[in-house]
Amino acid sequence: MIEWKEEYAIGISIIDEQHKKLFEIASDAEELLLMSNNIDKFDEIIDIINNLTDYVAFHFAAEQEIMEEIKFPKYFSHRVEHQDFIDELQKMNISAIDKDQQSQLLHIINLVIDWITEHVLEKDKGFAAYYKQVSEKL
Ligand SMILES: [Fe+2]
């Protein structure tokens, strides 16, 4: 079951709340995956991809705004990773989704899980550590 845990917290509460929302979307995808595969899930999968795309655009912008404010030294490479995630979502193919709904759903879930483990737990935590350093000096 996909669920947010305290260990995922980076310590910037506004960003942690947004990360929780990413988990909610991944959990919607998981719920849909576990439903009978005799039903047509195409529309719901498209909704999930759209929700995720809209939400990450909002969330990445929020993170990047804070990074600019504190002049985070790894801002540009971090931003590239955000763009890579958006590109992955945009690469999803409508006819593949229609043909193989379960495996495409699984692909979305894996994208988010990999994102949490590779980006949030490493890069975002690094950013949060820098944020903390800067805030302590103010
Ligand atoms: Fe990030």
Side-chain angles (χ1 to χ4, degrees):
M1 203 174 121
I2 299 170
E3 231 180 2
W4 193 85
K5 295 189 194 94
E6 202 52 48
E7 67 197 70
Y8 301 131
I10 66 166
I12 305 174
S13 57
I14 186 174
I15 299 299
D16 284 330
E17 289 310 311
Q18 294 175 3
H19 285 155
K20 283 181 193 169
K21 175 79 184 170
L22 291 182
F23 274 82
E24 278 171 32
I25 300 173
S27 154
D28 291 344
E30 188 188 34
E31 232 173 79
L32 190 59
L33 178 79
L34 297 175
M35 277 181 199
S36 157
N37 45 14
N38 296 324
I39 55 165
D40 183 12
K41 302 179 182 180
F42 181 79
D43 289 355
E44 285 87 349
I45 299 173
I46 299 296
D47 281 348
I48 286 173
I49 296 171
N50 287 339
N51 280 345
L52 197 53
T53 306
D54 289 350
Y55 200 75
V56 294
F58 161 75
H59 163 61
F60 292 162
E63 253 186 33
Q64 287 163 201
E65 201 183 308
I66 300 174
M67 285 178 191
E68 281 183 291
E69 271 169 32
I70 63 170
K71 300 193 168 43
F72 181 51
K74 293 179 182 157
Y75 171 77
F76 288 105
S77 62
H78 200 110
R79 211 182 148 137
V80 167
E81 290 204 8
H82 288 172
Q83 188 57 48
D84 287 346
F85 186 80
I86 293 169
D87 291 347
E88 282 298 321
L89 286 177
Q90 282 171 348
K91 255 195 254 162
M92 292 202 66
N93 176 294
I94 297 282
S95 65
I97 296 169
D98 200 26
K99 270 189 227 122
D100 199 352
Q101 301 187 350
Q102 291 295 90
S103 74
Q104 294 297 309
L105 260 175
L106 201 55
H107 176 68
I108 299 168
I109 295 167
N110 284 331
L111 268 182
V112 180
I113 291 176
D114 288 350
W115 180 256
I116 306 286
T117 51
E118 287 161 23
H119 183 88
V120 172
L121 293 180
E122 293 191 18
K123 308 293 164 59
D124 287 348
K125 280 200 173 176
F127 149 59
Y130 185 81
Y131 176 87
K132 203 167 160 255
Q133 255 181 38
V134 172
S135 332
E136 276 164 4
K137 279 186 207 151
L138 293 176

